[in-house]
Amino acid sequence: MKPQITDGGTSAGTALAFVAGFVDAAAFIALTGLFTAHVTGNFVLIGAELVASSTGVLAKLLALPVFMAAVAGARVLALLLQRRDADPLPWLLAVEAVLLAGFGLCGSLWAPLDAPDGAPALIVGMLAVAAMGVQNAIGRLSLGHLAPTTVMTVSVSQAVIDAMDLALRTSGNPAQTRARLLRVLPAIVTFAAGALCGAFGIAHLAFGCIALPIMVLIGLVVLVAMTPAEANATT
């Protein structure tokens, strides 16, 4: 099996959850309600905006194919790197950082994005969607043993169930239940913290706030690159 992070994996998953929450909240505010970290919300908003005859529908329609293309591209890149016996994780993290840099730079250059379906807003939005598509792929390809970092619905549900089982002493295996709860809690908390930071960041610093998640990703690239492959191996 190809190398994965183990000891540093929890830290990587927690950091990526912060990035996803940050970008999702910032993009939602800056781009007329566009969800970037997951596409389910966009389907709901498409229906709502079509009924209300609102704007921004085109961006939400494009989000799904762009998201899928980003995941497909990440998969192809991972396969190519694995054939060369290289760990795809740092490269995928670097690609995500580059896409977010494009998101922040283009957003800063073209602000204000007054037309939600205009070319500047579409390009900026799809760069963020692509970045989050890559992060979703990272969660499946390299960090599958960790809690999801972009979609919190399942994690929150599982955390509540585990917490109730522990409180009511109905768990058949308390140690396993406690371990599962502790596995998902950091991602939930940091996603929420990231969303708050992203909301306040875009409100006060505009697209310049995207420098923070980019720095987090660069730090992860360095962390992964410095971790010996044999220490990362999982079975």
Side-chain angles (χ1 to χ4, degrees):
M1 180 175 287
K2 293 298 178 181
Q4 292 179 328
I5 288 183
T6 52
D7 295 338
T10 301
S11 298
T14 301
L16 285 174
F18 177 87
V19 169
F22 192 107
V23 174
D24 215 20
F28 186 87
I29 294 171
L31 298 169
T32 320
L34 176 67
F35 286 108
T36 57
H38 56 93
V39 296
T40 307
N42 290 323
F43 289 138
V44 176
L45 291 174
I46 287 170
E49 293 186 357
L50 286 174
V51 171
S53 299
S54 185
T55 58
V57 178
L58 182 56
K60 296 172 181 64
L61 287 173
L62 287 175
L64 178 59
V66 170
F67 187 92
M68 293 173 62
V71 174
R75 178 55 171 163
V76 171
L77 177 59
L79 289 172
L80 291 174
L81 290 167
Q82 287 172 353
R83 288 176 182 175
R84 299 184 178 185
D85 202 27
D87 183 1
L89 181 55
W91 294 93
L92 293 175
L93 290 169
V95 170
E96 182 181 352
V98 170
L99 289 169
L100 282 185
F103 168 59
L105 179 60
C106 291
S108 298
L109 291 175
W110 293 335
L113 302 173
D114 296 325
D117 287 332
L122 289 176
I123 294 172
V124 171
M126 294 311 105
L127 283 168
V129 169
M132 292 298 97
V134 171
Q135 180 164 321
N136 273 272
I138 289 172
R140 301 297 297 175
L141 298 174
S142 298
L143 297 174
H145 58 294
L146 300 179
T149 63
T150 55
V151 181
M152 293 295 116
T153 306
V154 174
S155 295
V156 170
S157 299
Q158 187 63 60
V160 172
I161 291 171
D162 288 341
M164 290 303 299
D165 284 345
L166 290 172
L168 299 174
R169 299 183 179 180
T170 55
S171 174
N173 189 334
Q176 184 181 34
T177 301
R178 188 177 296 105
R180 186 169 56 230
L181 177 61
L182 294 176
R183 183 174 69 91
V184 301
L185 275 180
I188 295 171
V189 172
T190 52
F191 185 94
L196 288 174
C197 291
F200 282 102
I202 201 71
H204 295 287
L205 300 175
F207 284 93
C209 71
I210 304 302
L212 178 55
I214 292 173
M215 288 189 292
V216 171
L217 290 172
I218 292 173
L220 286 178
V221 172
V222 174
L223 173 65
V224 174
M226 293 178 62
T227 304
E230 58 272 16
N232 295 336
T234 61
T235 58

